[in-house]
Amino acid sequence: MLEKNKEKHATLYELRDDYLDLQRAYDDLAEEGLTDEEISERLGDQLKGVEDEFEAKVERIALLCRNDQLMAGVAREESARLAARAKRLHQRVEFFERYLLHSMRLVNKRKVEGALVTVSIRKAPVSAHVLDPEKVPEPFMRHVPEQWVPDKKALVKHYRESGEEIEGVTFITDKETIQIR
């Protein structure tokens, strides 16, 4: 059975603390009147070893940062590529749904049941198309920062409940969409 390398690598903060401790020890020895040569004899190898480890750790962390920056760039580019692909696929779906709807309407076929899917024409829910926002009554307006805009949900709800037309708004009640199940 292979032995795993159990050597613990010092963290940057541990190396930093060791480095600072050795610098303090160096300063203390200097205050005691020891010369740089005498201090180097006592602490030199230790200080050099910690300094080398510290610099190596800093370099490895910097390389990690550079690698992560590059990976983030790749991820951003891939995200943009996938978003563009999703947009193209969505547009293709919309095209085929319009194509199916048009073709099924032409042959007066409301439903086609296949082995794997069922395609049917269904009536879309009522939607509001605002022709003139200035003419829409205040109860059907909502405040969006710095402006008032028509609240289409409130308009549709009012139309469904009362059937009342509102000036400046056209209610679309005859739109059909394709449903694939």
Side-chain angles (χ1 to χ4, degrees), residues 80-175:
R81 187 188 70 78
L82 289 173
R85 181 162 192 237
K87 182 179 178 184
R88 285 190 307 274
L89 290 170
H90 182 69
Q91 288 171 339
R92 184 175 169 184
V93 167
E94 288 176 343
F95 167 79
F96 281 119
E97 285 178 345
R98 285 191 311 271
Y99 181 53
L100 285 171
L101 181 63
H102 176 72
S103 297
M104 289 175 69
R105 278 183 179 158
L106 280 177
V107 298
N108 202 25
K109 194 87 163 155
R110 305 271 318 155
K111 187 174 188 178
V112 173
E113 291 187 36
L116 300 175
V117 296
T118 299
V119 181
S120 60
I121 296 175
R122 66 180 179 93
K123 189 172 180 164
V126 176
S127 62
H129 177 69
V130 178
L131 302 171
D132 185 359
E134 299 293 320
K135 294 182 179 178
V136 176
E138 188 177 334
F140 303 109
M141 299 294 280
R142 62 188 171 96
H143 188 260
V144 176
E146 304 303 320
Q147 64 182 357
W148 284 90
V149 296
D151 185 347
K152 290 183 179 181
K153 286 182 182 179
L155 288 165
V156 168
K157 181 180 178 191
H158 175 76
Y159 179 79
R160 281 189 188 141
E161 291 172 355
S162 70
E164 176 189 353
E165 294 281 335
I166 296 174
E167 186 178 358
V169 179
T170 299
F171 291 96
I172 302 164
T173 60
D174 58 353
K175 184 177 180 182

Side-chain angles (χ1 to χ4, degrees), residues 12-28 43 46-47 50-51 54:
L12 183 62
Y13 73 85
E14 290 170 335
L15 292 169
R16 178 200 62 207
D17 289 348
D18 290 348
Y19 193 79
L20 290 172
D21 289 343
L22 285 169
Q23 282 181 333
R24 277 189 224 99
Y26 187 94
D27 292 342
D28 291 345
L43 301 177
Q46 242 183 325
L47 187 57
V50 169
E51 184 176 31
F54 180 82

